[in-house]
Amino acid sequence: MRTRRSNLKRLAGMIVLVSLVCIFLNASLVYLPITSACSLFSSSGCATFKQYIYVPSRKLTDDEIAARVVFKEILKTPPIQSKTPKIAFMFLTPGSLPFEKLWDKFFSGHENKFTVYVHSSEEKPVHVSLHFVGRDIPSEKVAWGEFSMVEAEKRLLANALADPDNQQFVLLSDSCVPLHNFDYVYRYLMYTNVSFIDCFIDPGQHGTGRYSEHMLPEVEKKDFRKASQWFSMKRQHAIMVMADSLYYRKFRLYCKPNMDGRNCYADEHYLPTLFNMIDPNGIANWSVTHVDWSEEKWHPKTYRAQDITYELLKNITSIDKSIHITSDAKKSVLVTPCSWNGMKRPCFLFGRKFHPETLDKLMQLFSNYTTV
């Protein structure tokens, strides 16, 4: 009798153990990326899988189903094959561009490989370079921190997409300057397999703290991301931005300053959140535009004439890690190694914020610091 009871206890224990293992494995397949789940069984993991298993936690709305179908079809569509693929350089500026002469030097000799678009939000710009003459697009007022920034980005993309030869789309400000020569930038962007859209999780007040539950059910808090506004994206992704109305509407309505006691700035959250949700493996999670936040103020460091040296510019062009600091009490340092098609590369092709007074020094140093 005792032996029988002992055997029954062992059998019951085994059943409980097997049940717990099954529950754990099922949970791992539902909640973990495929690569993480596979690593439970194999040291090599499942290298051929990159996407997450999608298990709906709720019933999708009709709008969500439609949006996912459209995005999926765009990603499946092969890029347009152009005999003269170009980069669209899209300038978002309040008025005249103080570095037109520098950009003119950068563009010269490569006229069939780029197109310029200028969105001037306050006054009609006066151009000093033929590369910029006639390149103004119909523009609207843009206010810092307002949703009008995102509207201007889409306006630039819409105009640039009208040219089928444009394959890469770079957003630049009036304070941006090139850090490399044109050939280097062209190769870097034209032959990449991702879009350079910044994206990271900031659990602090300037990150997830800006999230509004009004965005539910389409945008959940776990999906909310932060980023630098300045991007470079491939044509497929530019089309996806233009096609999106569902998530765009959510951010237009519920990500704005002074809403529910929060200051949400859509230009820092819309694109990273969108691509984190619809194509997380298609973006680099860092921007190719350098900016210095070391002063820890509302705006990044502005480079003045006395700051401009050959050493400064070479140091910026040699940086190979993208660094973010979270805004919570921990002030965690998030480091993203910069990788180009799987190879370690310097991160930055452009730099900001440069004061107009730096133009002369930059013109003098351009050929030296952009030599590869």
Side-chain angles (χ1 to χ4, degrees):
M1 183 65 70
R2 288 181 180 176
T3 302
R4 184 179 179 183
R5 287 179 181 174
S6 178
N7 288 338
L8 288 173
K9 286 182 179 179
R10 282 198 294 269
L11 180 60
M14 291 178 64
I15 291 173
V16 171
L17 179 60
V18 170
S19 299
L20 289 173
V21 170
C22 290
I23 292 171
F24 170 75
L25 293 178
N26 285 332
S28 71
L29 291 175
V30 171
Y31 295 110
L32 292 178
I34 290 178
T35 51
S36 299
C38 290
S39 65
L40 295 173
F41 310 101
S42 168
S43 59
S44 61
C46 298
T48 57
F49 292 97
K50 294 183 179 180
Q51 298 296 329
Y52 284 71
I53 295 178
Y54 177 67
V55 180
S57 58
R58 57 179 173 78
K59 183 180 178 180
L60 298 180
T61 65
D62 290 344
D63 287 342
E64 284 180 285
I65 294 172
R68 289 174 187 271
V69 169
V70 170
F71 293 144
K72 184 177 180 180
E73 289 301 312
I74 293 173
L75 287 174
K76 284 167 54 180
T77 303
I80 295 175
Q81 297 299 314
S82 170
K83 292 183 180 179
T84 55
K86 297 186 294 186
I87 299 174
F89 290 87
M90 309 181 302
F91 291 86
L92 183 56
T93 176
S96 296
L97 290 160
F99 295 104
E100 261 195 37
K101 287 183 178 179
L102 182 62
W103 285 104
D104 183 79
K105 194 170 186 177
F106 171 78
F107 289 136
S108 292
H110 306 281
E111 284 68 21
N112 63 334
K113 292 183 177 181
F114 71 90
T115 319
V116 169
Y117 301 88
V118 180
H119 184 294
S120 180
S121 62
E122 294 181 8
E123 59 185 39
K124 184 175 177 59
V126 176
H127 297 298
V128 296
S129 163
L130 291 178
H131 292 123
F132 288 81
V133 173
R135 303 311 305 166
D136 301 314
I137 69 168
S139 306
E140 298 290 341
K141 291 283 186 181
V142 175
W144 179 83
E146 299 287 347
F147 195 76
S148 55
M149 293 282 274
V150 177
E151 293 172 334
E153 292 174 12
K154 290 192 71 169
R155 198 172 294 119
L156 279 162
L157 283 172
N159 280 269
L161 279 165
D163 185 343
D165 288 332
N166 288 333
Q167 300 298 306
Q168 291 287 334
F169 303 79
V170 182
L171 182 67
L172 300 160
S173 76
D174 57 311
S175 70
C176 284
V177 301
L179 296 175
H180 293 273
N181 63 39
F182 186 91
D183 286 331
Y184 182 93
V185 171
Y186 187 85
R187 291 193 302 269
Y188 199 108
L189 295 181
M190 202 59 69
Y191 301 115
T192 182
N193 56 9
V194 296
S195 290
F196 294 99
I197 298 172
D198 195 14
C199 178
F200 69 102
I201 300 175
D202 179 359
Q205 60 177 334
H206 300 316
T208 309
R210 296 172 175 175
Y211 172 79
S212 170
E213 292 187 352
H214 291 298
M215 292 187 179
L216 291 170
E218 293 87 353
V219 181
E220 299 181 53
K221 191 172 186 178
K222 66 180 179 62
D223 297 317
F224 197 71
R225 295 293 187 271
K226 186 179 179 180
S228 163
Q229 174 188 8
W230 312 101
F231 62 75
S232 173
M233 66 174 65
K234 57 186 181 180
R235 189 175 183 91
Q236 282 178 315
H237 284 162
I239 294 172
M240 291 168 77
V241 173
M242 298 309 302
D244 176 46
S245 60
L246 174 62
Y247 303 103
Y248 179 81
R249 183 171 65 250
K250 286 286 183 176
F251 277 85
R252 178 170 56 81
L253 293 174
Y254 304 119
C255 182
K256 48 190 173 183
N258 301 316
M259 181 174 179
D260 296 336
R262 301 180 180 88
N263 284 316
C264 187
Y265 305 111
D267 57 283
E268 295 182 1
H269 299 286
Y270 168 59
L271 288 181
T273 301
L274 175 68
F275 283 99
N276 171 63
M277 295 176 67
I278 64 175
D279 191 19
N281 295 295
I283 62 174
N285 295 322
W286 45 277
S287 169
V288 288
T289 299
H290 173 267
V291 68
D292 184 351
W293 286 100
S294 62
E295 295 178 341
E296 297 186 12
K297 297 179 180 179
W298 274 105
H299 297 283
K301 172 184 173 63
T302 296
Y303 293 106
R304 306 299 296 246
Q306 65 267 24
D307 300 318
I308 306 304
T309 63
Y310 172 81
E311 288 72 23
L312 169 73
L313 297 166
K314 291 304 291 184
N315 285 340
I316 294 175
T317 58
S318 66
I319 297 171
D320 59 9
K321 296 181 180 67
S322 175
I323 297 175
H324 293 293
I325 300 176
T326 62
S327 60
D328 58 350
K330 292 182 179 180
K331 297 288 184 182
S332 301
V333 178
L334 309 177
V335 179
T336 303
C338 296
S339 173
W340 183 85
N341 292 350
M343 298 176 286
K344 188 175 182 180
R345 285 289 187 273
C347 304
F348 305 115
L349 304 179
F350 315 102
R352 63 182 300 267
K353 300 180 58 162
F354 287 78
H355 193 277
E357 70 182 31
T358 63
L359 174 62
D360 290 342
K361 278 196 171 182
L362 289 169
M363 291 288 289
Q364 293 170 10
L365 292 170
F366 180 79
S367 297
N368 292 325
Y369 76 78
T370 60
T371 300
V372 179

